[in-house]
Amino acid sequence: MNNMISLIFITIGILFNLLGCIGIIRLPDTYNRLQAATKCVTLGCCSILFGVFFHFGISNAGIKALIAIPILFLGSTVAAHALIRGTYHFGIKLGEKSVKDDYKDAVQ
Amino acid sequence: MRYITVFILSLIFWLLLTFKLTVPNIIVGAVASLICSLIFTRFFISNVYKLLQPHRYFWFIIYLVVFIWECIKANLDVAYRVLHPAMPIRPGIVKVKTTLKSDLAKTLLANSITMTPGTITVDIIDDYLYIHWIYVRSEDPEVYTGLITGAFEKYIKRIIE
Amino acid sequence: MTDFLNILLYIQIALSGICLYRIIRGPSIPDRMVGVDIFGILVVGICAIISIQTEKSFILDIGIAWIILSFIGTLTLAKYLTGKKLNE
């Protein structure tokens, strides 16, 4: 039973990862790619780790998988934030479809 | 007092990570936690007595449920935008004012915004958050402030401040 | 059960191959860095699936260490993008 639940969680996670990777290929500029990829891949890997927790139960490995989830969340969100800020300062323009840019005044 | 709190928290973390209750393991963990508490206490929250108030944990659990729900919605939103043949995107960077004061609260708010549908935080300058939005739904500052921060700000205020 | 897990593992490895495509092809430097960041997160998923297959817990330790290392690496790359020195 536990194996079944863990397999379901891992499958959902890999579907989310797949969506993120399609996003990284299809979307037109860096900002949108980062946005789609970070959200999908982070939640996908958290789902996989949760499946691993279900497979091992409360034991050495299960607790480790559970600990990895908040570290992954905080790490990947802060990394994405630093990366998008770096991208803006590097001088990459927003995509062609953009409608608004309030950050330009703050940088100067 | 702050040093003792950091020491206890890192010792608990060590014991969870190794998952073995033997004497040598606890001694090694205590030494490592002591070094950690000496180096990293200056980054810890200033008022540790807030950790002992149970109603903050209650609001934290409610916040966690809301947060996971928003995460799943964010993923379905990204899936819709990526798989749609015409790719309905309308990106832009908007400026949002927040009423939170402490640094930890602002960081938590920025992290939450990064995981909600279609938004990612670019920078925090004083009281303003700069947010890249994949589909700018309105041009009016009051409307989009409510749309972006409204879901989380009240919970974070109750948890931290 | 094991076969299905194998298939999932191969899919995950193929997804990191897609990230490699973005790293090689990406028109600008930040695009490649996005690829590196996402690649680091996908490897954690690969570690988790292998730890189920082999029933060994130390592979999850590798996963946790990989999260922290890729986090620090991405922060360093982002700092390079903003044009600052590393000690600022």
Side-chain angles (χ1 to χ4, degrees):
Chain A
M1 189 61 204
N2 270 355
N3 282 345
M4 215 52 224
I5 296 174
S6 86
L7 266 189
I8 290 170
F9 268 109
I10 293 174
T11 316
I12 291 172
I14 286 186
L15 277 179
F16 279 149
N17 282 351
L18 182 68
L19 286 172
C21 285
I22 293 173
I24 219 176
I25 294 288
R26 272 201 77 193
L27 287 170
D29 65 315
T30 314
Y31 301 94
N32 295 321
R33 268 176 215 146
L34 186 61
Q35 181 150 162
T38 306
K39 284 191 186 79
C40 279
V41 175
T42 305
L43 196 74
C45 279
C46 284
S47 180
I48 291 175
L49 285 169
F50 203 66
V52 174
F53 167 69
F54 262 102
H55 182 268
F56 285 110
I58 296 185
S59 69
N60 191 358
I63 296 290
K64 261 176 207 163
L66 214 53
I67 286 176
I69 292 176
I71 299 177
L72 181 59
F73 247 108
L74 294 175
S76 70
T77 46
V78 173
H81 154 72
L83 208 52
I84 198 168
R85 186 166 175 273
T87 309
Y88 198 96
H89 282 269
F90 189 69
I92 304 287
K93 295 277 185 299
L94 288 176
E96 289 167 2
K97 293 180 180 172
S98 303
V99 290
K100 207 162 162 36
D101 189 0
D102 285 345
Y103 191 48
K104 202 192 287 170
D105 309 328
V107 171
Q108 285 154 6
Chain B
M1 193 61 208
R2 285 169 74 201
Y3 284 96
I4 298 171
T5 316
V6 177
F7 177 77
I8 293 172
L9 284 179
S10 35
L11 190 60
I12 291 174
F13 187 72
W14 170 273
L15 288 179
L16 278 179
L17 206 56
T18 52
F19 215 70
K20 220 180 345 178
L21 261 184
T22 55
V23 175
N25 191 25
I26 292 178
I27 292 173
V28 173
V31 173
S33 312
L34 191 68
I35 297 170
C36 278
S37 64
L38 287 180
I39 297 174
F40 294 113
T41 302
R42 61 199 170 103
F43 300 117
F44 200 61
I45 55 175
S46 52
N47 188 359
V48 290
Y49 295 104
K50 280 182 181 172
L51 285 173
L52 295 176
Q53 296 168 344
H55 65 93
R56 294 186 193 276
Y57 294 101
F58 171 71
W59 286 111
F60 182 70
I61 291 169
I62 292 179
Y63 162 77
L64 218 56
V65 173
V66 174
F67 181 64
I68 292 171
W69 172 240
E70 289 285 329
C71 271
I72 295 169
K73 245 168 53 183
N75 277 277
L76 297 179
D77 182 73
V78 168
Y80 165 69
R81 294 199 195 294
V82 166
L83 295 178
H84 197 283
M87 272 199 294
I89 59 171
R90 192 162 168 262
I93 294 181
V94 297
K95 181 180 176 183
V96 171
K97 191 178 188 335
T98 173
T99 55
L100 299 170
K101 291 285 173 264
S102 69
D103 282 349
L104 181 63
K106 278 181 198 165
T107 313
L108 201 56
L109 181 65
N111 266 358
S112 319
I113 285 172
T114 300
M115 293 311 287
T116 46
T119 51
I120 185 167
T121 314
V122 179
D123 206 348
I124 304 177
I125 298 175
D126 298 332
D127 272 353
Y128 292 99
L129 296 165
Y130 293 87
I131 287 160
H132 182 265
W133 205 356
I134 203 169
Y135 194 89
V136 179
R137 265 183 266 168
S138 86
E139 304 270 338
D140 183 19
E142 288 184 6
V143 175
Y144 61 66
T145 304
L147 276 176
I148 292 173
T149 64
F152 296 112
E153 212 167 28
K154 51 179 187 283
Y155 297 115
I156 292 174
K157 192 170 266 178
R158 281 174 181 143
I159 293 167
I160 290 173
E161 286 178 356
Chain C
M1 159 91 192
T2 326
D3 293 339
F4 190 57
L5 211 57
N6 263 329
I7 294 169
L8 291 182
L9 181 60
Y10 291 142
I11 294 174
Q12 182 85 353
I13 292 173
L15 290 181
S16 40
I18 294 177
C19 279
L20 280 181
Y21 168 80
R22 182 48 74 191
I23 294 172
I24 295 166
R25 186 64 199 285
S28 63
I29 298 172
D31 280 319
R32 292 163 211 260
M33 288 181 182
V34 172
V36 173
D37 184 29
I38 303 305
F39 186 79
I41 303 174
L42 283 175
V43 169
V44 180
I46 296 177
C47 285
I49 296 176
I50 293 178
S51 83
I52 286 188
Q53 274 189 330
T54 57
E55 297 280 338
K56 291 201 169 57
S57 71
F58 74 92
I59 298 175
L60 282 169
D61 283 336
I62 299 172
I64 294 176
W66 192 287
I67 297 171
I68 297 169
L69 283 179
S70 92
F71 170 59
I72 294 172
T74 311
L75 283 190
T76 316
L77 292 174
K79 202 144 198 177
Y80 157 72
L81 281 182
T82 56
K84 286 181 181 172
K85 296 271 165 40
L86 286 182
N87 55 5
E88 281 181 58

